Amino acid sequence: MITASAPGKIILFGEHAVVYGRPAIAVPVTQVQAQVSIEPGSDELTIHATDEGRTYSYSDIDAQHPIATIIRLTLEALHQSPPPNATLTIRSTIPIASGLGSGAAVSTAIARALAQFYGCELATATVSELVYQVEKIHHGTPSGIDNTVIAYAQPVYFVRGQRLETFTVPKPFKIAIGDTGIASPTRIAVGDVRAAWQADPVRLETLFDRCGRIADQARALIENGQPEALGPLMTENQELLAQMTVSSLELEALIQTALKGGALGAKLSGGGRGGNMIALITDAREATVREALLNAGAKRVIVTTVGANAQ
Ligand code: PMV
């Protein structure tokens, strides 16, 4: 049996502005994973999606379905046809539709598992590109940050269309991720920001520029071993996102709760409106912030450590 996995992710700085060419920073979240196994069999390719509690045959799935799409694209990239006689089982602990990259992680794990099944090696850049093709079908105009951070499984400084830069984190730091429990399609928030940008390009470009500068400052602080100074930048980035109309009352409530509980900074992460907020926390405040977020209605709190070998 072949098994491959991929982590979840969070965007620390620069969501939305990244769609317009500004830099963003994202990190893998290894506490949650998508895992795909492939077992050879005598029947046609069967997909067992444990999350959905469903089993279906590859030939019956809608060709536009993300799972069908990544399988088709990967088989093409591997020059394999017809599909293998096998059972492909998908398991994931990454919450769906909450900005943790569950779709990109499932696609990444499928591409890797299929490559292994055929005894082939797919370059990480190729995996990332295949997953990007799937993201494009479902998210409209994705920047490519999700597939990149998940395929590389390293902190990334991402600028759309430019060569990927990973960076080191000499001093690990902790982020609490609080889920509003509200599923919010990224495509809609991205579409609304686009409409605002079309209506008032000068104002939106200014907001994007400020987000880009924050991402650059954040990277410098992380690389210089001063992650505790990221707090005010998170809060500043949150204000800009609110001006782009992608925050919400629920996100604001969790952000304020985290700050009152002693977080050094907090913001929404990803598409916004619902999904997750993130807060920079110290060890001393971890338990307090976690409990405060849960008491304030967070459906789930994940604490992740960003940094070399510490994830
Ligand atoms: O909601 P998420 O975590 O998939 O992130 C979306 C990030 C955006 O910048 C809003 C869109 C994008 O494609 O980069």
Side-chain angles (χ1 to χ4, degrees):
M1 173 142 71
I2 301 286
T3 303
S5 58
K9 72 101 212 341
I10 44 166
I11 298 178
L12 292 184
F13 293 97
E15 50 276 273
H16 287 288
V18 69
V19 175
Y20 298 81
R22 278 30 167 225
I25 291 177
V27 296
V29 177
T30 49
Q31 280 84 353
V32 287
Q33 296 269 338
Q35 196 195 64
V36 169
S37 54
I38 306 182
E39 206 167 355
S42 51
D43 292 332
E44 63 169 335
L45 180 57
T46 304
I47 291 127
H48 182 44
T50 54
D51 273 5
E52 300 169 38
R54 280 186 61 192
T55 300
Y56 32 90
S57 71
Y58 176 60
S59 53
D60 289 344
I61 325 174
D62 177 353
Q64 292 290 304
H65 190 288
I67 293 174
T69 311
I70 189 65
I71 292 174
R72 179 173 47 76
L73 292 175
T74 307
L75 292 176
E76 277 168 24
L78 295 168
H79 307 291
Q80 295 292 340
S81 146
N85 286 352
T87 300
L88 186 152
T89 302
I90 303 167
R91 290 187 184 82
S92 177
T93 54
I94 308 175
I96 297 169
S98 62
L100 284 166
S102 78
V106 167
S107 294
T108 300
I110 290 177
R112 291 231 166 93
L114 280 170
Q116 268 188 59
F117 181 81
Y118 288 107
C120 301
E121 184 86 18
L122 277 182
T124 304
T126 308
V127 173
S128 179
E129 179 55 33
L130 294 173
V131 177
Y132 182 60
Q133 296 307 320
V134 181
E135 297 276 294
K136 271 215 296 222
I137 298 174
H138 296 277
H139 295 302
T141 54
S143 62
I145 193 168
D146 273 30
N147 49 287
T148 304
V149 63
I150 288 169
Y152 284 84
Q154 283 180 57
V156 299
Y157 173 88
F158 180 87
V159 181
R160 191 172 189 171
Q162 286 187 18
R163 236 178 87 97
L164 173 68
E165 291 178 48
T166 55
F167 61 93
T168 54
V169 184
K171 187 170 172 197
F173 55 96
K174 276 190 177 175
I175 297 284
I177 307 167
D179 190 349
T180 59
I182 298 167
S184 166
T186 296
R187 194 165 31 83
I188 307 232
V190 168
D192 289 352
V193 173
R194 182 154 302 265
W197 174 72
Q198 279 162 344
D200 192 349
V202 176
R203 190 173 78 87
L204 271 286
E205 287 289 336
T206 306
L207 295 176
F208 299 152
D209 278 341
R210 290 172 64 192
C211 293
R213 276 198 295 274
I214 290 173
D216 281 332
Q217 287 166 10
R219 176 182 175 171
L221 288 172
I222 296 171
E223 284 185 315
N224 292 335
Q226 298 168 278
E228 54 292 333
L230 292 173
L233 291 181
M234 291 173 81
T235 306
E236 204 184 316
N237 198 162
Q238 169 61 20
E239 280 161 21
L240 298 170
L241 287 161
Q243 289 180 45
M244 288 177 212
T245 75
V246 295
S247 193
S248 68
L249 289 177
E250 293 83 0
L251 282 164
E252 295 290 347
L254 293 185
I255 288 166
Q256 289 312 319
T257 298
L259 294 172
K260 278 199 206 106
L264 302 175
K267 63 184 276 294
L268 68 84
S269 173
R273 299 271 166 80
N276 285 300
M277 51 68 70
I278 56 175
L280 178 66
I281 54 171
T282 55
D283 285 338
R285 285 290 168 179
E286 177 175 340
T288 317
V289 172
R290 183 194 283 274
E291 206 168 312
L293 286 172
L294 289 170
N295 286 337
K299 296 295 169 289
R300 183 187 312 99
V301 177
I302 296 170
V303 174
T304 190
T305 303
V306 180
N309 306 322
Q311 295 243 357

